[in-house]
Amino acid sequence: MSRRTLPRRFYDRDARDVAPELLHKVLVHDDPEHGRLAARLVEVEAYCGRDDPGSHAFRGETPRNASMFGRPGHLYVYFTYGMHWCSNLVCGPDTRPHAVLLRAAEPLDGLDTMYARRVKARRDRDLCSGPGKLAQAFGFDRRHDGIDVTRGIVRIVDDGVAPPADPLVSRRIGLAAGRGDDSLWRFSIRGSASVSVPPR
DNA sequence: GGTGTGATCGTA
DNA sequence: ACGATCACACCA
C-alpha cells in the first residue's frame, strides 16, 4: 500500500476538481509538541475564488485571506464567529484563489491529544466532525496559516484508499440558506458517522 | 432523535 | 453588522 505526500500539482487545479479527490486522503500533523495526529477526510467543500460569492476571495485580497492568493498546496487558516478556526487547502489553477474547506474527518492517530484539546468530545466521532472541531483537534490556528502542505509538518497523504466512486454531493453548509446558493460543491462520504451536518 | 438560540470578536 | 460554527437547552 502506497503512502505518499500529495505533490503540489495535485492542488494546482480548480477546487471543484480537487475536493472530491481529497475524500479518503489522510490529514497528518506532526505536532512538534504532541506527536503525530492523523485523520481521514470524509467531508470537504470547494470555494472558487473571485467568481464565488461564498468565498472569502470574492471581494479581493486582504491581509486575512492572502494565503488563498498564493501558490497552491498551502494552508489557509482563518478565525470566525469570534471563537472558531477553520482550515482550507489552497488550490489553483496557478494563483487563482480557489480553496477546499476541510469540514470533517475520521480520527486515526493521536486521539489522546485530540480528546485533550476537544474537552467536550464524548466519543471519537465528536473529535473532527466539523470544520471548527477539526481545526481544534489538530491544534490549528493563525500560526498554521500559509504553511506548505507538500513538505512541512502538515501534509495530505495518500495511503492507498481510493476516493469514493459515488461521493455524496450537496449544497454547502452555512451559505445555502442565507444567500440562496444552489451550487453543489460539498462532497462527503455516504454514511460516515464523522460527517458534520446530514447532507440535504 | 430533532430543532432553536446565544456566545463572542476579527474583519470589512 | 455579521459570519465557510459550536454547544447546550429543550422537546420528542
Side-chain angles (χ1 to χ4, degrees), chain A residues 61-92:
Chain A
E61 185 172 349
T62 67
R64 178 208 205 190
N65 65 20
S67 297
M68 290 183 93
F69 289 79
R71 293 184 73 200
H74 294 256
L75 277 184
Y76 166 46
V77 181
Y78 67 88
F79 185 65
T80 192
Y81 286 104
M83 59 194 106
H84 301 296
W85 295 92
C86 293
S87 50
N88 301 251
L89 295 167
V90 176
C91 297

Side-chain angles (χ1 to χ4, degrees), chain A residues 11 24 47 67-68 71 85-86 91 110-111 117 119 149-150 172 174 181 185:
Chain A
Y11 304 97
H24 283 166
Y47 287 87
S67 297
M68 290 183 93
R71 293 184 73 200
W85 295 92
C86 293
C91 297
L111 296 245
R117 288 175 170 153
V119 180
V149 297
T150 68
R172 295 177 294 183
D181 180 274
W185 295 344

Side-chain angles (χ1 to χ4, degrees), chain A residues 83-84 112-129 133 136-137:
Chain A
M83 59 194 106
H84 301 296
D112 49 347
T113 297
M114 293 185 187
Y115 272 106
R117 288 175 170 153
R118 297 262 318 117
V119 180
K120 306 292 174 56
R122 309 191 63 100
R123 39 194 176 169
D124 293 0
R125 61 196 268 185
D126 300 329
L127 292 173
C128 301
S129 54
K133 300 178 194 177
Q136 186 176 34

Side-chain angles (χ1 to χ4, degrees), chain A residues 143-154:
Chain A
R143 296 170 301 172
H144 304 271
D145 182 40
I147 71 175
D148 188 342
V149 297
T150 68
R151 44 193 300 116
I153 58 173
V154 179

